[in-house]
Amino acid sequence: MIKPRSSRLAAAVSLVSALALTATACGDDGSGMAGAKGAEGSGTGKIVFWDENGGVRTAIWKEIIADFEKANPDIDVQYVGIASTEAQSKYDTAIQGGGLPDVGGVGAAMVAGITAQDALEPLDGRIADSSLKGKLNEAMIENVRSAAGRDEVYTVPISATNGVLYYRTDLFEKAGLDEPDTWDEFYAAAAKLTDKRKNQFGYTIRGGPGSIAQALDAMYGQSGIQSFWDESGTKTTVNDPKNVKALEKYVGLYKKATPEADLNNDFTKMVAQFDSGSIAMLNHNLGSYQDHVSSLGVSKFRGIPQPELADGTRVMVSNPVSGLGLLKSSENKAAAWKFIEFAASHASNSKFSESAGLIPANKEAAKDPWLDKAETTKLGADALFSGDTRIVQLPYYLPDWNTLSKADSEAGFQKVLLGKTSAKEFLDTFAESLDEAQAEWKEQQG
């Protein structure tokens, strides 16, 4: 179960503050440390780019870099690929000791920590004065703005991996079921497509690592609550009676319409079960789309946005948006910004997003023909760009958010699945820790 967070949160905030002060004290020599003022530079010469998802996205980034260098022969971009699991620590080490890049890939979950150490340049003015003005998806802009915990944008959004409800079209057709557009249809399908004697289940619930994000998506999607905090901004809505009721219904699927082994399942096992045909529905993001295509082709499954409420309202929790940040210590910000602007342009963003199977941030790229062939991505983009989907912004800016929403709560969620803890008790405890973390954060902001 979640434990009170005050001591660990205070320590985390103090550490970030100390790192920022240390970097400011010794970083004015342009050595690439946080706090160094950097310079606009000549707009030519060498810049260093860190890809925070190196290996997975290396090939497409090198292609975009080649395009950029062809268009800007007086700028040389040095690519550095970093594994996603090591990106945060890589930034933290460089912030303390020097060696930060000019441009860095920064996921929404990392923005607040890096910004708190005075390492990222605010970008609102640059965006407004560039060819990107009015071209970036507003929901993604709001996501990265919210993630920083400040009323400024510190990364230019590149792509998003919104939550998806995958379902086996072959199994639905065999059972005479229509696509599960609403939550009522989702629950009805989960029950009808379950036959325990044949080891066939309507749904797979995520009970292992990563369970909380999926549970929150299901809760807010069903409750229709559209903000993570109340009007005062001090109390979370996570334990609102509507969310409690929604979680009770969601966990009620466990062992009735899901395998018992779901208690410890992560997304890898869930994807394998879905692709094998023993599971009819799966919640994950666009990241597993290509896995399904490789295993099933495109005729046996479909990926659609989260179900709607009966009145047509669709509510989803935010998924971290990947973006590019301009490091404040860069001595060549003019050239670095040229690269960011180029990478987020129509052509480059379309090329990147098509390769990765992600929703492009550039509005023009989101209209390109390739999305018609990538139906799941297109549906996600349509939902995000339509303005009809309500996005609940998760508090990525809280220093302890990752711990609160993972290590401290996943075991508690398993107890709810097992019936050892009620949904209300779990959410009340989660809410207490969140409110405490929010109060600590607000106090630090002055």
Side-chain angles (χ1 to χ4, degrees):
M1 207 62 176
I2 306 166
K3 299 178 181 179
R5 308 297 311 147
S6 57
S7 58
R8 191 192 300 183
L9 180 61
V13 173
S14 297
L15 175 60
V16 169
S17 301
L19 290 174
L21 289 171
T22 301
T24 303
C26 59
D28 290 333
D29 60 357
S31 60
M33 298 175 68
K37 295 179 180 178
E40 283 298 303
S42 63
T44 63
K46 173 185 170 183
I47 60 172
V48 177
F49 163 52
W50 282 6
D51 170 15
E52 91 284 16
N53 200 7
V56 178
R57 307 284 181 242
T58 295
I60 186 60
W61 272 123
K62 287 192 173 181
E63 189 175 332
I64 290 172
I65 288 170
D67 292 342
F68 175 76
E69 291 178 338
K70 183 177 180 180
N72 299 270
D74 53 359
I75 301 177
D76 174 35
V77 180
Q78 180 183 335
Y79 172 88
V80 179
I82 303 168
S84 60
T85 54
E86 300 173 2
Q88 184 68 64
S89 61
K90 180 83 171 177
Y91 274 108
D92 289 341
T93 298
I95 285 170
Q96 298 175 61
L100 284 167
D102 300 280
V103 178
V106 180
M110 295 193 296
V111 173
I114 298 174
T115 301
Q117 298 178 72
D118 199 28
L120 288 172
E121 183 102 345
L123 300 176
D124 294 85
R126 292 181 189 267
I127 293 172
D129 294 336
S130 76
S131 61
L132 298 177
K133 181 180 179 181
K135 299 292 180 65
L136 300 173
N137 177 265
E138 287 81 4
M140 294 193 203
I141 285 285
E142 178 57 30
N143 180 286
V144 297
R145 188 189 302 276
S146 173
R150 306 182 184 192
D151 193 24
E152 291 179 300
V153 172
Y154 286 89
T155 62
V156 171
I158 296 296
S159 60
T161 57
N162 278 23
V164 175
L165 176 63
Y166 294 103
Y167 74 96
R168 291 290 299 256
T169 52
D170 53 345
L171 299 179
F172 269 70
E173 289 171 5
K174 185 177 179 180
L177 290 170
D178 294 328
E179 184 170 275
D181 292 323
T182 68
W183 283 102
D184 287 342
E185 291 170 347
F186 163 78
Y187 280 106
K192 186 169 183 178
L193 289 167
T194 297
D195 188 340
K196 295 182 181 180
R197 294 172 299 175
K198 296 181 180 179
N199 197 37
Q200 180 73 45
F201 297 92
Y203 185 64
T204 174
I205 200 165
R206 191 166 183 167
S211 61
I212 304 305
Q214 183 175 304
L216 289 172
D217 216 3
M219 286 162 48
Y220 282 92
Q222 294 175 83
S223 71
I225 296 171
Q226 298 176 17
S227 175
F228 197 78
W229 304 102
D230 66 7
E231 292 183 359
S232 72
T234 60
K235 298 292 183 183
T236 182
T237 58
V238 77
N239 62 335
D240 182 283
K242 292 181 180 179
N243 275 335
V244 173
K245 183 178 180 180
L247 184 61
E248 288 172 344
K249 188 168 186 178
Y250 181 66
V251 299
L253 291 171
Y254 179 60
K255 291 198 297 185
K256 292 181 180 178
T258 80
E260 187 172 352
D262 278 3
L263 181 69
N264 297 300
N265 269 5
D266 59 13
F267 86 92
T268 303
K269 295 175 183 175
M270 295 162 65
V271 166
Q273 291 176 321
F274 178 81
D275 290 348
S276 73
S278 62
I279 299 293
M281 292 185 290
L282 161 75
N283 272 114
H284 194 235
N285 56 44
L286 286 169
S288 61
Y289 175 71
Q290 292 299 338
D291 293 328
H292 303 313
V293 172
S294 298
S295 298
L296 303 170
V298 295
S299 63
K300 292 185 178 180
F301 83 98
R302 199 164 186 235
I304 60 176
Q306 284 283 59
E308 299 177 341
L309 291 168
D311 64 1
T313 302
R314 176 180 286 118
V315 179
M316 299 171 62
V317 300
S318 58
N319 281 268
V321 172
S322 64
L324 297 178
L326 176 61
L327 278 298
K328 187 176 287 188
S329 60
S330 171
E331 292 290 341
N332 202 351
K333 293 178 184 177
W337 175 252
K338 284 182 184 178
F339 176 66
I340 294 175
E341 187 177 2
F342 183 89
S345 68
H346 177 184
S348 296
N349 192 225
S350 184
K351 180 181 289 190
F352 176 85
S353 300
E354 181 178 9
S355 171
L358 304 176
I359 300 174
N362 188 290
K363 293 179 180 179
E364 295 172 331
K367 299 177 182 177
D368 283 350
W370 67 266
L371 275 99
D372 293 328
K373 301 176 183 178
E375 184 192 44
T376 300
T377 305
K378 179 175 175 55
L379 291 173
D382 289 346
L384 197 60
F385 280 79
S386 68
D388 296 331
T389 300
R390 302 292 179 260
I391 306 295
V392 177
Q393 300 295 343
L394 298 180
Y396 298 114
Y397 57 84
L398 292 177
D400 229 13
W401 168 248
N402 282 339
T403 302
L404 285 170
S405 62
K406 293 179 182 178
D408 281 358
S409 50
E410 289 175 348
F413 180 68
Q414 288 179 324
K415 289 182 179 180
V416 179
L417 291 174
L418 292 170
K420 295 181 178 180
T421 300
S422 72
K424 184 178 187 306
E425 289 172 328
F426 170 71
L427 292 178
D428 282 346
T429 305
F430 191 17
E432 182 180 355
S433 296
L434 287 165
D435 291 347
E436 183 181 348
Q438 179 80 335
E440 293 264 7
W441 179 80
K442 283 182 171 291
E443 183 178 348
Q444 289 293 325
Q445 303 309 301

